[in-house]
Amino acid sequence: MLGWFQALMPKEERFFDLFARHAETVVAGAEALRGVLRGGPEISHYCRLVVEREAAADEITRSVLLAVRRSFITPFDRGDIQGLISSMDDSIDQMHKTAKVITLFEVTRFEPAMGEMGDIILRSAELVREVVPLLRAIGKNVGAINGLTEEITRIEERADQLHDKGRKELFLTHRNGDAMEFIVGAEIYEHLEKVVDRFEDVANKISDIVVEQV
């Protein structure tokens, strides 16, 4: 009886609006991070933007978690809602950590592969922004959802390759020179790779939701 009752009750739809707002904020954070990775005199400006976008994303995340507690009927499992918004928030949290490292070590120049990883991060964020609205009608959009999550996974593999290639080039450049340059550069690569990994986590969480709902 409870299952029939829940099926007849209107579901709380504001979660999808909050997911969409969060995804837009993540894209804005990724755009700011890409600005950082261009180097030059505007690095501090773009780092501040990353911090601001991360704070805005945190507010949206709190709204989602509060709505989960207060809503009687949710679009899908409460744990899945919490897991999805948390994984999305982890991606911009990691962007914030990247910007903090860059600020801490006063980095002003970035390797070409770092810039490429910034492009991948932005593309991953855009794919998340594209896929999230499709969750309103999972059954109808299952093919498109699966295609977008698979693309996120594919470009994550490209980021892994850039990470390894970039660290190798750093080592070859600095093995007889400035060890600190290598250490700082390697740490930036690690943080950038973690950002992309967090987007893969989002894709995996969405795939799990699709499996449960279809």
Side-chain angles (χ1 to χ4, degrees), residues 117-130:
M117 291 183 77
D119 292 338
I120 287 175
I121 288 167
L122 178 56
R123 179 57 182 154
S124 298
E126 290 171 341
L127 289 168
V128 169
R129 180 177 62 183
E130 187 175 349

Side-chain angles (χ1 to χ4, degrees), residues 158-190:
R158 172 59 180 157
D160 284 345
Q161 295 169 0
L162 286 168
H163 167 265
D164 294 343
K165 177 174 177 280
R167 281 171 55 89
K168 179 68 172 181
E169 290 175 349
L170 276 176
F171 170 72
L172 294 175
T173 301
H174 299 294
R175 62 180 170 180
N176 296 318
D178 190 340
M180 183 56 70
E181 286 269 353
F182 170 78
I183 292 169
V184 172
E187 185 165 356
I188 292 171
Y189 273 119
E190 288 293 325

Side-chain angles (χ1 to χ4, degrees), residues 135-210:
L135 296 175
R136 287 182 182 269
I138 293 177
K140 184 176 72 174
N141 297 317
V142 62
I145 292 170
N146 288 338
L148 291 166
T149 55
E150 288 168 6
E151 186 173 350
I152 293 171
T153 300
R154 282 196 300 271
I155 63 177
E156 188 275 336
E157 294 170 358
R158 172 59 180 157
D160 284 345
Q161 295 169 0
L162 286 168
H163 167 265
D164 294 343
K165 177 174 177 280
R167 281 171 55 89
K168 179 68 172 181
E169 290 175 349
L170 276 176
F171 170 72
L172 294 175
T173 301
H174 299 294
R175 62 180 170 180
N176 296 318
D178 190 340
M180 183 56 70
E181 286 269 353
F182 170 78
I183 292 169
V184 172
E187 185 165 356
I188 292 171
Y189 273 119
E190 288 293 325
H191 280 285
L192 292 172
E193 184 186 34
K194 287 178 181 177
V195 178
V196 185
D197 287 344
R198 299 294 77 77
F199 282 116
E200 186 180 28
D201 293 341
V202 175
N204 290 337
K205 173 49 69 177
I206 290 173
S207 295
D208 290 343
I209 291 170
V210 169

Side-chain angles (χ1 to χ4, degrees), residues 12-30:
E12 177 59 77
E13 294 293 320
R14 62 178 158 167
F15 290 104
F16 299 113
D17 295 332
L18 290 168
F19 289 149
R21 281 176 53 201
H22 195 286
E24 288 286 355
T25 306
V26 171
V27 170

